[in-house]
Amino acid sequence: MKKLLCLLDDVVTMLTKTSAVIVTFNRAAKLMKVLDALQCQTRRPEIILVVDNASTDETRELVVARAKEDLSIRYLRLPKNVGGAGGFHAGLKAAYDLGADYFWISDDDAYPEPDAIEKLLQAITSFQADHEWRPSFACSRVEWVDGSLCEMNTPRTVWDWPRFVRPGKAWALVDSASFVSILVPRWAVAAHGLPIADYFIWFDDAEYTRRLSRSYPGIFVPESRVIHDTPDNRGVNFGLVDEKSLWKFRYGARNEASWRRREGGLVNVISYAYGAHRQMKGGNVPGKLRREIYRAILRGMAFHPKIVRI
Amino acid sequence: MNHLQQSTPLVQKSTDYISREVTEAISIYKCLYPGCELRFIFRIDEATISATATVSEGRAPLHVDLLGAGYLGQVNIPGPHDASPAVTISISIPRPPLPSERRQTDTPWQPQRPLRFIFRMAPMLYEQIRYLAEMARWRRADKSHRTSSLPFGGSALFSKPRAPATGKRPAILVGMHWLEVGGAEKLGLDTIRWAREAGLRVFVVASVPELQRLKGQLPDSPDVTFLRLDRYLPHHLWPRYVEELVRAENIRLIHIHHCRPLYDALPHIRTATPWVKVIDSTHIVEYADGGYPRISGVWSNFIDMHHVISGQLEDYYRDKFLVVGKVRLGRMLDRREDAGALSGFRLQAGQKSLHISFIGRLYYQKRPIIVVETFRRLSRWAADNNVELSGSLVGEGPFLPAVQRLIQRYGLQDKVALLPADTDVPALLERSDLMLLPSNNEGLALVCYEAIGRGCIPLSTDVGSQYEVVPADLLVPLSPYDTVRETLGIVDRLWRDPAFLARQKQELTAAFSKLGRDMTAKEILMPIYEETALSAG
């Protein structure tokens, strides 16, 4: 019996079939660089699922051509653009159906270093072996193209984040991370369901990782590195709202307000609205744009998207 | 005949027939239960041409139902040792088919009883209702059937079984739906020939217990064996049987052609005999439930390669099951026969006589009622435009009596000839200006390709992968009324508008050349067969 139990312990770490889930929209060239980076991984995912948000550039042709040569590539073309949130929802669902044990979720403009996935897998399995707790996700250090920390992909730590930090295993506990090089185990998806597709864009990753963290926080794995090729290195701050970025901030405000209403009630939303007000005031955001953000927060209070379970 | 020597003499039935069937059944169960004592109870069923088999593991007592008028007797095959477990197999051998059954078992088609009066009054209205019902079923289909691949996990923790050394030449198991007339069956028979050419021994099984009328087309060779699992082995026992067969006969490759129980056996095959490669071929996406391409997609993680015959199927696997890399397009064309076959199109604008053909089995899929209705409308059009119209309908099937009645009712007997299925189709196409194919569904109808090669212009419904062979302007909608109206419109335009006709000829030529450049099924499959033939014995 003891031998059998040892065997079962081994099974826990041996079931590491991994599926990469990349959501893309009209960024064929960058997507090809991501696929190149995955090709060079020291621990290649068994499945690479490209979720195409109905791109109108040459994404389809390029991915299909590559998939004809590389059997690990699967291609899911969505009938319309359902945003990053809808893409990650559909992709994670499909990858789950394909039977992977871990899901490496990322954007179409984030290039993992050759050992990024191996380090994530190593960390999440070692953490469990060492401490018995099961991290609900593991996330990489996301760097901008110049090597500095990518502001928008900074994970949020929990209050006792250094509890298991050791020399050589500096894995801080975090409860929120972005969908840029994050590894989610199958059990966490089974327990907590899928990202909320109705969010369309922004805050889908924060809501999802916070939901996963109800079981146990995730871990930040700094030795796993990924380069996020964004046009600039800006954080998400309401002081940065302008005409061009307003549409995204509106989604973000609505989604976070909805989440705060669900998790913390009205007081939490008011506190959030006050924070947004302070940031916009500090950033001299024009009144017209501010009113759009307030309206989005109000909409979020009545927005109750459904969480889809597996 | 040893087992039958003590049997009661059988009136009207040849001993050879019974003997052959008994031998078939015994060999199947000897393979399935190599270490068991086998106790067979044989019956003959005079009422049916379908067999039944029930299996009880153990020494099951005989029930009185088995000992009635059809009871033939028992055969006991001892096990390898005294303590061998026993298996009781009760088999009902079907009577030999009558000559009429050998020819055709489909009863003549009749409209659904409550709607018969509609068909009598307005055949097209009946077709429209049937079409609408089918489309409604199609819209519901995805909700009631799985449309994602089943996962196939696994780890390196446990060692996998290894192929035993048999000393036999490598073999292939080819699973068919049945050995009856059909496109998938044609490819199935071709692949059996190719596998043999590649040096493989071939075992053939079918899932549906039909008369297997094409059995005679199997190569007459000791390397080709048709196993009558369809008659004598219940589907739930196929996985274990296939495992035993794989081990005993050094089967290295399984090729599935629309064979449901082989798909169902895949979990067992892939885990018990992981050295065996599995490929499949699919042809047509069915409206009701996706048909075999859907089943194949569901099992995709257990299959090494999907061979498809059309671009539509490539898209189907990609869009429904996210599979791209292991889907291989191989057209059902013979490069030697088809190379350079394109001759000039006969149809000229304003010509005074027109010959239009229809070639296809007379089943609902080909919509023969719509063909006759189209001829009726074309006949009026021809009279209005002073064109001498003639037509040929080639094919047999359950719709033949209904088609004959309609032709008489519409007074088309002098204009439309009904020809048997063995008509010389190439010769007919060479004297036809146009060909109609208003099918309900198609994969990629090769008769269109053949028609173009013979200078005949095909008009088809826009279904399946027909867009690959027929230009967009010559495709008509599926809805029955629209099919007839648009077909008439296209014929009129081709006849009236020389520029339109010239453009269609150009596009048909381009489509013909493009298809000819694609890989053929043989070019896709033969290297796999040859590689398998070189694998270890």
Side-chain angles (χ1 to χ4, degrees), chain B residues 41-334:
Chain B
I41 301 149
F42 286 108
R43 296 165 44 78
I44 188 154
D45 193 341
E46 290 291 342
T48 174
I49 51 171
S50 302
T52 54
T54 52
V55 180
S56 320
E57 292 187 5
R59 191 175 286 278
L62 277 188
H63 192 271
V64 69
D65 289 351
L66 297 174
L67 304 176
Y71 175 63
L72 293 173
Q74 294 187 39
V75 175
N76 281 302
I77 312 281
H81 49 82
D82 291 344
S84 300
V87 179
T88 308
I89 304 126
S90 165
I91 284 182
S92 170
I93 297 171
R95 66 168 167 76
L98 303 171
S100 59
E101 289 167 335
R102 280 187 200 284
R103 187 172 159 76
Q104 178 62 266
T105 49
D106 293 312
T107 50
W109 172 81
Q110 290 280 351
Q112 295 278 324
R113 187 175 286 278
L115 301 178
R116 252 174 221 178
F117 75 99
I118 292 180
F119 184 76
R120 273 199 298 274
M121 285 191 308
M124 282 298 287
L125 179 58
Y126 182 88
E127 284 288 310
Q128 187 72 17
I129 292 169
R130 185 164 181 174
Y131 158 78
L132 290 172
E134 185 157 37
M135 290 303 110
R137 214 166 40 236
W138 183 27
R139 282 190 292 273
R140 287 196 304 270
D142 269 8
K143 291 170 194 145
S144 55
H145 290 93
R146 186 183 176 103
T147 50
S148 60
S149 301
L150 287 162
F152 185 18
S155 76
L157 189 61
F158 303 104
S159 59
K160 289 181 177 174
R162 290 192 181 165
T166 59
K168 292 182 177 172
R169 268 194 301 130
I172 180 176
L173 174 64
V174 178
M176 313 263 288
H177 179 70
W178 58 21
L179 293 173
E180 298 285 321
V181 175
E185 288 68 26
K186 181 190 176 302
L187 178 67
L189 289 167
D190 283 345
T191 56
I192 290 165
R193 253 195 332 275
W194 301 336
R196 198 174 142 251
E197 276 172 38
L200 289 166
R201 294 180 306 124
V202 186
F203 292 87
V204 183
V205 294
S207 64
V208 177
E210 254 294 346
L211 289 182
Q212 321 297 9
R213 293 176 180 82
L214 298 184
K215 198 170 56 171
Q217 291 188 19
L218 290 172
D220 183 16
S221 157
D223 279 349
V224 179
T225 311
F226 180 38
L227 302 163
R228 293 309 304 265
L229 306 194
D230 56 308
R231 275 195 168 165
Y232 298 122
L233 190 68
H235 282 181
H236 73 275
L237 291 172
W238 278 47
R240 283 165 64 188
Y241 176 83
V242 173
E243 181 192 348
E244 295 296 341
L245 189 72
V246 163
R247 289 178 183 282
E249 297 294 345
N250 191 25
I251 287 174
R252 294 284 167 158
L253 180 67
I254 294 178
H255 192 159
I256 307 178
H257 294 274
H258 294 187
C259 186
R260 181 75 188 253
L262 271 191
Y263 280 118
D264 291 341
L266 285 176
H268 190 79
I269 293 167
R270 294 323 300 254
T271 48
T273 57
W275 61 90
V276 176
K277 295 273 176 269
V278 179
I279 61 177
D280 71 350
S281 293
T282 49
H283 295 249
I284 184 167
V285 181
E286 303 286 354
Y287 292 123
D289 60 0
Y292 283 101
R294 186 193 63 81
I295 294 171
S296 163
V298 167
W299 288 109
S300 184
N301 289 321
F302 297 74
I303 295 171
D304 297 294
M305 191 196 87
H306 302 289
H307 161 238
V308 297
I309 62 150
S310 71
Q312 182 218 16
L313 282 165
E314 273 191 308
D315 296 348
Y316 181 78
Y317 277 95
R318 186 193 63 220
D319 296 343
K320 287 275 180 195
F321 298 100
L322 327 178
V323 185
V324 178
K326 57 183 174 182
V327 179
R328 290 279 184 273
L329 174 63
R331 306 276 184 191
M332 278 175 66
L333 302 175
D334 186 330

Side-chain angles (χ1 to χ4, degrees), chain A residues 11 14 17 60 67-68 74, chain B residues 152 157 301 314 318 325:
Chain A
V11 172
M14 290 197 76
K17 185 176 177 182
R60 183 186 190 142
K68 281 190 189 293
R74 304 291 187 106
Chain B
F152 185 18
L157 189 61
N301 289 321
E314 273 191 308
R318 186 193 63 220

